Amino acid sequence: MSYQEDGETVDGLGDMFTEPEVPPSPKATFVNYDRKPERLNDSEHDTRSRSWQTVVIRLVGSHPLWGHYLWNAAKSFATYLDVHSNSLCKGKAVLELGAGGGLPGLVCALNGAKQVMLTDYPDHSLIENLKYNVEVNVSSEHQHAVRVMGYLWGKPVEPLLVTIDETDGVERKFDLIILSDLIFNHSQHDALLDTCDEALSADACNVSTPSEPGTPCVLVFYSHHRPRYVEKDLEFFRKARDRGWLCEKIVEERMEVMFPEDSGDENIRGTVYGWRLSRNPI
């Protein structure tokens, strides 16, 4: 920038009036989840995906709620749902809370779930990204069975329930609720459990075995990202038991740590745990 002073041009004021450049927003990233044939059960599959062996997950470029990562728990969750698709997915109404990229819920849809509701914090970028992942991975003739909605944990669940197809004599509630890497949000444990209490079907649980886990149930997969807070993470299950839930560990899988530079025992940070919560029969 320059200006005139006594007939002379004077430079040097540009820095005073030029706004600093704003760095561009990080671009979205894509991660493929490859579904290995040997990891699927042997039953006949309801092929609803354009590319059955691969789910393509787009992640927002950056987000304060950590929606820009595909967490290890989501990958382990996806495999578990594939293996147990007959009992957990086919014909079921499924709710995923804090879905991020939506991988576990999408796997349910691709395995023949009657209805899948993918939810996350009501932020435009997160919700639109979830809708994109549905469009890319679920065939057009089945997309009506997968819905996306912004939802705050602990708030009334009626907006979620009214989306479930009504069946004569059957309450509108979910058979399966998915919580993938959410319990590190210690302040939200009660809110998460409130939603599970209200949204899960009160029907008697099907007979559950390690090979055929029954529904209705809540599945919780997670890693201890901060080993010093292991006990705070596990407080979620102590609170669940106090509310009358039966809690059983169903998965323990060692994976590569996501952030090698972080502090803490890598064996702890690199392990995914899966738990099944079901109602305690009275």
Side-chain angles (χ1 to χ4, degrees), residues 42-250:
D42 295 328
S43 65
E44 181 180 355
H45 293 281
D46 179 59
T47 305
R48 295 189 173 186
S49 175
R50 300 173 197 163
S51 179
W52 177 244
Q53 291 300 324
T54 300
V55 181
V56 180
I57 297 297
R58 188 179 75 174
L59 302 166
V60 294
S62 180
H63 202 277
L65 298 179
W66 306 98
H68 52 300
Y69 291 109
L70 183 62
W71 299 91
N72 283 341
K75 300 173 187 177
S76 180
F77 220 143
T79 298
Y80 185 82
L81 291 166
D82 266 336
V83 171
H84 302 290
S85 62
N86 276 339
S87 58
L88 292 176
C89 305
K90 291 185 182 299
K92 307 295 184 179
V94 180
L95 168 65
E96 182 170 5
L97 300 175
L103 176 60
L106 287 169
V107 168
C108 289
L110 299 174
N111 275 304
K114 175 179 66 176
Q115 188 151 355
V116 176
M117 169 61 76
L118 301 175
T119 70
D120 210 325
Y121 186 83
D123 171 85
H124 179 78
S125 62
L126 291 176
I127 299 307
E128 290 303 308
N129 190 69
L130 270 173
K131 291 178 179 178
Y132 173 89
N133 286 338
V134 172
E135 292 173 1
V136 167
N137 291 287
V138 181
S139 61
S140 58
E141 63 267 30
H142 293 110
Q143 287 180 14
H144 70 277
V146 187
R147 304 187 186 185
V148 175
M149 181 181 293
Y151 175 72
L152 295 174
W153 306 333
K155 296 299 182 181
V157 300
E158 284 73 19
L160 305 176
L161 301 181
V162 297
T163 65
I164 300 175
D165 294 335
E166 189 171 10
T167 303
D168 291 341
V170 179
E171 64 176 347
R172 281 181 163 177
K173 291 200 173 181
F174 292 96
D175 303 299
L176 172 64
I177 300 179
I178 292 170
L179 277 61
S180 181
D181 229 336
L182 303 183
I183 66 171
F184 72 90
N185 294 287
H186 303 143
S187 66
Q188 298 300 305
H189 286 178
D190 287 313
L192 286 165
L193 288 167
D194 286 346
T195 295
C196 292
D197 281 334
E198 296 300 322
L200 188 72
S201 171
D203 291 347
C205 181
N206 299 331
V207 175
S208 182
T209 65
S211 60
E212 291 293 332
T215 59
C217 68
V218 179
L219 294 181
V220 185
F221 279 53
Y222 64 94
S223 294
H224 295 298
H225 300 291
R226 300 166 294 177
R228 65 185 181 278
Y229 293 135
V230 167
E231 290 305 312
K232 288 189 175 182
D233 292 344
L234 295 177
E235 185 66 22
F236 176 85
F237 301 104
R238 287 189 281 270
K239 289 184 174 183
R241 291 188 181 99
D242 289 344
R243 292 176 179 235
W245 292 91
L246 292 174
C247 304
E248 58 175 328
K249 186 168 72 172
I250 54 175

